[in-house]
Amino acid sequence: MRVILLGTAAGGGFPQWNCACALCTAARDGKLPSRSQECAAVTGNGRDWWLLNASPDIRTQLAAGAPLWPGPGPRDSPVRGVLLTDAEADHVMGLGVLRGGPDLKVYAGPPVLAALAPLRAALGRYTGWEWADALTEGGFVLAGGLVVTAHPVGTKAPRYLPDTAADAPWVIAYRIEDLATGGVLVYAPCVGAWSPVLDELLETADCALLDGTFHAADEMGAAVRGAAGQAAMGHLPVAGAYGSLRHLARYPGPRRIYTHLNNTNPLLDPASAARRQVTEAGVEVLADGAEFVV
């Protein structure tokens, strides 16, 4: 199974257009590499590619990855569809960019499918897509020999929805297994709190792409004076007594990679103490465009 990290930043990308924090300033000065908004692509055979989320930067991301270029016919594309983890704007806005692609299949949890009803209707006027429940019992098989199961990991609904069910499975993680090799990828870029579900997923994983949005629980307030609301954004921090890094220490076997990095996150700086802490724990932070095999 091949995986390409098309983008590794949280919503807004890095540097964020309206932020002049120290990290964003360093990126504009060329001292740190820019990053596009979180999205990945996976294939089991090198021909059929599936997008993991669809970021607003998807056109540029697809253009940057040669395996995802169109061909051999003038309108042929290796992209077969999208697996959505949630309904957050930075994970679904790219669907509009893909509207010209016929016969794509989009998987998502039931609350997300319902929330996207207006968008689904609009996209249906361009071409026929299939929309499927990712939480269907027993999972599903993707073209290219990948078996997928979806697992609820959060109940946070996107802010743009005024009225939502309190305990609905708004956020899911995916377990993707290569039928040919048995390799297992866990994809969980949005995690509000650690849960037994994540423990079960990590126990059988060969590689895990995990939520690294914030390094510390008070990060935004420290980086951007007066910033508030980080706790309500639904992302478990990396560091601290209840952070994800402490949980990951119990699973040294799989390759572990943080993604979905907020523009205030010191992990963006390879020379930071935060990056050193994570690296010494055996967890990676990779650049946009990184490609690897599971």
Side-chain angles (χ1 to χ4, degrees), residues 235-262:
H235 295 284
L236 179 69
V238 169
Y242 302 100
S244 62
L245 192 62
R246 183 171 181 178
H247 291 284
L248 289 178
R250 296 184 282 115
Y251 301 100
R255 185 176 187 182
R256 299 153 300 169
I257 302 166
Y258 279 129
T259 189
H260 200 268
L261 307 173
N262 196 61

Side-chain angles (χ1 to χ4, degrees), residues 92-101 104 106 116-129 131:
V92 303
M93 288 181 65
L95 294 174
V97 179
L98 300 173
R99 65 189 180 277
L104 296 184
V106 181
L116 295 182
L119 176 61
R120 292 167 59 187
L123 292 173
R125 291 185 169 272
Y126 292 90
T127 186
W129 287 6
W131 300 81

Side-chain angles (χ1 to χ4, degrees), residues 22-140:
L23 288 168
C24 286
T25 299
R28 291 191 183 93
D29 291 340
K31 298 175 183 177
L32 294 175
S34 298
R35 295 173 182 262
S36 60
Q37 294 169 91
E38 192 275 326
C39 182
V42 62
T43 182
N45 60 6
R47 299 184 303 276
D48 301 295
W49 286 87
W50 295 86
L51 301 179
L52 306 179
N53 287 326
S55 88
D57 301 319
I58 193 65
R59 191 204 69 82
T60 303
Q61 293 169 335
L62 292 176
L68 300 167
W69 290 352
R75 284 288 186 174
D76 292 340
S77 170
V79 176
R80 303 290 177 248
V82 184
L83 280 64
L84 298 174
T85 58
D86 49 65
E88 295 294 339
D90 54 311
H91 283 159
V92 303
M93 288 181 65
L95 294 174
V97 179
L98 300 173
R99 65 189 180 277
D103 304 321
L104 296 184
K105 189 165 186 176
V106 181
Y107 291 89
V112 174
L113 292 173
L116 295 182
L119 176 61
R120 292 167 59 187
L123 292 173
R125 291 185 169 272
Y126 292 90
T127 186
W129 287 6
E130 183 178 354
W131 300 81
D133 180 0
L135 289 170
T136 184
E137 186 176 355
F140 49 94

